[in-house]
Structure formats: structure tokens, C-alpha cells
Amino acid sequence: MTNKDKNFRLLYMYDKLSKGKTVYKSEEARYFQVNEKSIQRDIEDIREYLDTQFTQTGNENRLIYDHRQNGYRLERSGRLMLSNEEVLAVAKILLDSRALTKVEMTDMLDRLVECCVPAENRKLVNDLIANERYHYIELQHKKVFIDKMWQIGIAIHETRNIEITYERTDHKIVNRKIQPLAIMFSEFYFYLAANIENIDREKEFQNAEDKFPTIYRIDRIQELKVLDEHYRIPYKDRFEEGEYRKRIQFMQGGRLQRTEFWYKGVNVEAVLDRLPTARVLKKEDGRYLISAETFGKGIEMWLRSQGDQIEMIKNK
């Protein structure tokens, strides 16, 4: 036997173990045409490697003998893997988002379950999401865009300008040079918040004094080019994504405004969850006077959709 033969066996078995499969000595001995003692020595070498990795990195992945299956399997550290419950929750969120095409969603769910769920529990997790997977309805645009989203993420990280060709809601195609600031997700779509460079604000904006970022739906970006030039924003003027996200619940640009309204329904918690900046000013006769800060007119449409549960007071 050569070292090359042994090295191949080690890599082959380690790859199987890493994919959650069980290694059986007799099966591997037949496959490689060696005796079971050779396979046992290979297994001990893999176990020694894993012990070394734990000493060096703190990542505890153990090679154990599973008496029920009469074979060896890799037991991953709980700190590195999602639990069955967590994988189920993430899968449900992904399916409910409807953000990806059916092919993308199916592939992503397969890999999520494959890499995170112990082999003996995969069928159960897959059964629990099978009906939603089968009836999954992709969005009308049917576009694959996560490659663009990754390019945008790199541009944000490196503070580099990008040029985009974009289809607006009125189907007009525009070209923009922008400073990408943040990627956000809301109700089926991924969005990009960005500052526009070299634009006639008086002509293109309803409010020329609006200094807040413009919102783009990423699936409507037809072409994208990351430029070599960098932009710089002083620290005091840095974009605070968390604060902005609380006020841009409806993904529409516009001025920052404060809205006050009476809520007369039975579930005020749902309103407060929908509007992270909302505060209850007072409660009176079973009604709640609520104040919230948001960008643009999206909140007005949402409030009207709530029917007689809402009584509008003012926008300012």
C-alpha cells in the first residue's frame, strides 16, 4: 500500500463523514480491497485529526461509533450547527418570504437541511416542510438576482460607487450612478438604499431637499457595474442602517414624518410590531393614541387598509 492510497482513503471517508453519512468498516474494506484493520487505523487517524482541531480552534467535532447503525459518524459541535428546531424555523421563514425563484428556494432548502440536520432527522424535517415546498409560488418577476446582491454587498463593504440600469415602477428605464449604503428585506423583496450622484434633484425629486437615501428594488436592477472609485462619508454623517430601517417599513422614499392616529382594534401589539418607532401616547375608552415616525407616504396607504380600526389625526 502506498501513502497515496492511504491519503485517498482518508479524504474519501472524511468527506463522507462531513456530509453526515455513516462509515462502515466492512463496506470500506470491500470498496478499497483492504482488511478492516487498515480501515480502523484510518478511522483513528481521522479521530486524532479532529482532536487536534479541537485543541487548536475549539471546534469540537467528534467521531463516534453509533451502536444502532453499527458504524462511525461525525457528531458536530452544537455551536457550529443549527438545531433541528432552528433549521425548521429558518426553512419556514425562507418559504414564507417568497423572495427567491422556486429553483433557488428548493436548492437552498436542500443544502440547509443537508449540512445542518443530523442524517437520522432529515426525513422528519423535510416532511414538515414538504407541503409548503410543493405549493411554493414564486414571485411574478421570476428573476435570479442574488449574484447582483452579493456584488452590491461587496461594494458597500468597500465603499465603492456602482452604476446601475434600473426599471422604475412606471417601467421607465433609468441609469444611475449611486453610493450603495445598505441591503434590506421587506415583504417579498430585497431593496438597496443608496445615495444618487450627479442628478438634477429639482427635476427628478418631488422634494429637492430630501437628503435621505433612495430605495431600489434589487430585482429591478437590469445591469450593474461596480466602479473602481470610492466614496467617503464623514463619520458624523454615517448611514445608520438600524435607525433608518425602523422608519422605512414601507420601502418608499420621501421626507421623514410623524404620524398620529387612534387605534380602535383589539390587537395593539400587531400595530406596534408593524411600526417599530410607534409609541402609545395614551389609552382612552379602549382606544390607543399612537405616534410613529416613518419615511414617505407608505404609512398612509397602510393605515387606510386597516379600515375603521384606525382614525387618522395628523401627519407632520
Side-chain angles (χ1 to χ4, degrees):
M1 179 191 69
T2 67
N3 285 336
K4 184 177 180 180
D5 295 332
K6 179 177 176 63
N7 291 341
F8 181 82
R9 286 204 312 268
L10 288 169
L11 290 170
Y12 178 85
M13 286 190 284
Y14 183 74
D15 183 59
K16 286 182 70 172
L17 291 164
S18 297
K19 292 176 179 177
K21 297 178 180 179
T22 301
V23 166
Y24 304 95
K25 282 198 300 184
S26 58
E27 179 182 297
E28 302 304 330
R30 285 194 302 272
Y31 181 77
F32 288 107
Q33 297 182 341
V34 296
N35 58 46
E36 291 189 21
K37 288 184 178 179
S38 295
I39 299 299
Q40 185 62 50
R41 286 193 292 270
D42 294 339
I43 289 171
E44 294 307 318
D45 287 341
I46 293 173
R47 180 177 281 122
E48 183 178 348
Y49 169 74
L50 293 172
D51 291 342
T52 302
Q53 285 295 102
F54 173 64
T55 302
Q56 294 177 349
T57 67
N59 295 331
E60 186 179 11
N61 296 322
R62 297 187 303 145
L63 184 59
I64 64 170
Y65 184 76
D66 189 324
H67 291 279
R68 290 181 302 172
Q69 299 190 55
N70 296 318
Y72 292 87
R73 63 179 176 83
L74 195 61
E75 187 175 79
R76 296 182 182 274
S77 167
R79 290 177 296 138
L80 297 178
M81 294 181 64
L82 295 175
S83 67
N84 299 325
E85 299 87 347
E86 290 168 336
V87 170
L88 179 61
V90 171
K92 291 285 187 177
I93 291 169
L94 279 171
L95 286 161
D96 195 50
S97 75
R98 294 181 58 204
L100 306 172
T101 65
K102 188 162 188 174
V103 172
E104 288 178 295
M105 181 65 71
T106 299
D107 183 50
M108 192 174 292
L109 289 172
D110 284 342
R111 284 182 286 142
L112 177 67
V113 174
E114 181 73 20
C115 72
C116 293
V117 177
E120 64 270 20
N121 293 328
R122 285 176 194 155
K123 184 178 186 305
L124 174 58
V125 173
N126 280 319
D127 286 348
L128 289 170
I129 62 174
N131 188 261
E132 284 178 274
R133 284 179 59 151
Y134 179 76
H135 293 287
Y136 180 78
I137 304 292
E138 61 187 3
L139 299 178
Q140 292 299 308
H141 63 71
K142 303 183 187 300
K143 293 178 181 175
V144 176
F145 57 85
I146 58 176
D147 56 337
K148 288 191 179 77
M149 193 160 66
W150 179 251
Q151 287 181 274
I152 292 168
I154 296 299
I156 292 170
H157 179 70
E158 297 178 351
T159 61
R160 294 168 65 181
N161 290 329
I162 64 176
E163 288 181 345
I164 61 172
T165 301
Y166 185 75
E167 181 182 3
R168 302 193 320 192
T169 53
D170 60 4
H171 303 298
K172 181 180 179 181
I173 306 298
V174 296
N175 297 304
R176 294 283 185 262
K177 180 180 176 182
I178 58 178
Q179 300 172 351
L181 301 175
I183 295 171
M184 297 175 288
F185 177 81
S186 179
E187 295 178 332
F188 310 136
Y189 305 113
F190 285 96
Y191 295 86
L192 166 64
N195 291 330
I196 307 177
E197 290 196 352
N198 306 323
I199 191 169
D200 186 340
R201 303 182 72 86
E202 293 286 347
K203 179 181 177 181
E204 299 287 346
F205 282 55
Q206 291 182 346
N207 176 14
E209 301 303 316
D210 181 4
K211 301 300 183 184
F212 293 103
T214 300
I215 303 298
Y216 298 94
R217 232 175 71 183
I218 294 179
D219 61 275
R220 287 184 177 154
I221 297 176
Q222 296 185 346
E223 296 179 18
L224 180 150
K225 181 181 179 182
V226 180
L227 304 177
D228 289 334
E229 58 191 69
H230 295 259
Y231 63 88
R232 181 179 178 276
I233 299 177
Y235 183 77
K236 66 181 181 64
D237 299 325
R238 71 193 185 281
F239 181 67
E240 297 192 65
E241 183 178 346
E243 288 299 314
Y244 185 70
R245 185 66 181 86
K246 288 190 292 187
R247 293 166 173 80
I248 192 72
Q249 291 299 299
F250 304 97
M251 290 300 155
Q252 292 190 11
R255 66 181 180 85
L256 182 64
Q257 62 184 17
R258 183 179 296 279
T259 303
E260 290 185 8
F261 57 93
W262 285 100
Y263 174 69
K264 297 180 283 186
V266 296
N267 187 11
V268 70
E269 182 181 272
V271 177
L272 299 178
D273 287 342
R274 186 67 178 84
L275 305 170
T277 61
R279 294 183 300 115
V280 176
L281 301 181
K282 66 178 177 180
K283 182 179 179 181
E284 181 181 285
D285 300 327
R287 304 183 304 164
Y288 298 86
L289 180 60
I290 295 175
S291 173
E293 280 188 345
T294 58
F295 287 100
K297 298 182 180 297
I299 189 171
E300 297 174 17
M301 292 184 285
W302 182 78
L303 290 173
R304 285 197 296 270
S305 74
Q306 304 306 301
D308 58 7
Q309 293 187 108
I310 298 293
E311 179 185 334
M312 192 73 169
I313 303 297
K314 58 184 174 181
N315 278 341
K316 60 180 181 180

